[in-house]
Amino acid sequence: MAVRPVVAGVDGSATSVAAAAHAAWQAHRRGLPLHVVACHGPGAAARAQAQALVDEMVDRALATAPDLDVTGQVVAGRAAATLADLSADAALLVVGARGRGGFTGLLLGSVSTHLAAHSVCPVIVIRPEGGPIDPYTTADLTVVELSAAPPPWPVVVGIDGRPESAAAVEFAMDEAAARGAPLVALSAWWMPPVNRLGPVGARPPRRPTPPTDAHTVEQDVRQMLIEATADARARHPDVTVDLRPAKAPNPSVALLDASTEAGLLVVSRHDGNVLTRRLFSSVGDAAVREAPCPAAVVPE
């Protein structure tokens, strides 16, 4: 089986350059190849500009990690579709939250949200300047040491109680361990954990029984967090885990609030019954669009 690379989508904007640097760190720490991709519009000039950008990103990665296996690719066409296709054979996709438009039209918000919804592999969206990824946004990226992890700010993961969230929990725990950071396992508790709402595909009850005691519900959610993180904690005993039942009217509200002091926000992407889709379908979109720190969306 071919080794799946870490794919970085670039367009020359500051956030995409930061994404390429972060992708290089991810590839380096995982022992995987790095594949840098730029999309371009029609014409030889657009292709030449995209190729120059990819060559520069490849050279920068090799300058700081000569042992890294780095390849580049330019593709004519739309970035969203191209990167979504490439995600099928990738271990991780890293892009910027905002782009410059211009010759590629890459990463203009709609592309990153499209990838959050359709990427086959996990996708990390790097935020504009101001977050803990700042070491990668320096003017001279040739001085970036790819062997240095991002700052050890907390990694926050949203947990909704469904088994399909296990991949996001494991991804978040692995990121926390690699960064030397604590993990915050968060679940909004304005209602019982969704694993009490019925099996996948089941029709939700017409009148779900509301929680009657806030303390009981909070303890119920805490127990769910204990169970949901048990396997990941056993595999990473050195990572400090903060179990955080959060009273909030919406999971997105609680996660965005927790992400203000985080180095990475991790959410899962999955389908469920009608009620769970209503509750959680917008969480990944909110994380990509509004989180002040880098956000990762992990498919089930």
Side-chain angles (χ1 to χ4, degrees):
M1 179 180 295
V3 176
R4 295 177 179 267
V6 174
V7 175
V10 298
D11 72 345
S13 64
T15 51
S16 81
V17 172
H22 185 68
W25 175 74
Q26 289 282 1
H28 190 258
R29 80 171 183 87
R30 295 163 182 251
L32 296 176
L34 172 66
H35 189 57
V36 182
V37 180
C39 297
H40 65 85
R47 177 180 176 81
Q49 193 175 1
Q51 187 66 61
L53 172 63
V54 167
D55 291 344
E56 180 183 4
M57 294 298 100
V58 169
D59 289 344
R60 287 184 176 185
L62 290 174
T64 55
D67 60 334
L68 191 62
D69 180 4
V70 187
T71 56
Q73 179 182 9
V74 296
V75 181
R78 299 180 61 86
T82 296
L83 293 172
D85 288 344
L86 289 173
S87 73
D89 296 313
L92 176 68
L93 180 61
V94 187
V95 298
R98 295 291 185 272
R100 65 188 303 172
F103 72 93
T104 60
L106 182 62
L107 312 183
L108 296 177
S110 62
V111 173
S112 54
T113 54
H114 176 87
L115 294 173
H118 299 288
S119 177
V120 178
C121 69
V123 55
I124 294 180
V125 179
I126 301 298
R127 303 302 306 173
E129 59 189 33
I133 206 71
D134 272 352
Y136 297 129
T137 61
T138 56
D140 183 8
L141 286 179
T142 60
V143 303
V144 173
E145 291 293 339
L146 298 181
S147 60
W153 291 31
V155 173
V156 177
V157 59
I159 300 176
D160 59 23
R162 293 171 53 81
E164 291 84 357
S165 297
V169 175
E170 185 59 40
F171 183 92
M173 183 68 82
D174 178 68
E175 286 293 320
R179 298 160 186 250
L183 178 72
V184 176
L186 183 148
S187 184
W189 65 267
W190 68 278
M191 64 183 302
V194 292
N195 58 0
R196 302 291 181 85
L197 300 179
V200 175
R203 178 178 299 177
R206 291 184 177 181
R207 295 180 180 178
T209 303
T212 57
D213 178 76
H215 177 73
T216 299
V217 174
E218 181 174 358
Q219 293 305 309
D220 198 18
V221 174
R222 183 176 295 277
Q223 181 60 37
M224 179 273 288
L225 290 172
I226 291 173
E227 295 171 3
T229 59
D231 289 345
R233 284 186 286 115
R235 285 189 286 269
H236 301 276
D238 295 335
V239 175
T240 301
V241 179
D242 175 9
L243 302 176
R244 191 176 299 181
K247 185 177 181 180
N250 183 287
S252 297
V253 173
L255 289 168
L256 293 175
D257 182 64
S259 70
T260 57
E261 297 182 354
L264 180 68
L265 172 61
V266 181
V267 299
S268 61
R269 189 190 79 224
H270 55 72
D271 295 322
N273 59 37
V274 174
L275 182 54
T276 57
R277 283 201 299 271
R278 278 191 167 187
L279 290 174
F280 301 109
S281 62
S282 63
V283 173
D285 182 74
V288 168
R289 289 184 177 274
E290 303 178 39
C293 67
V297 179
V298 182
E300 61 184 56

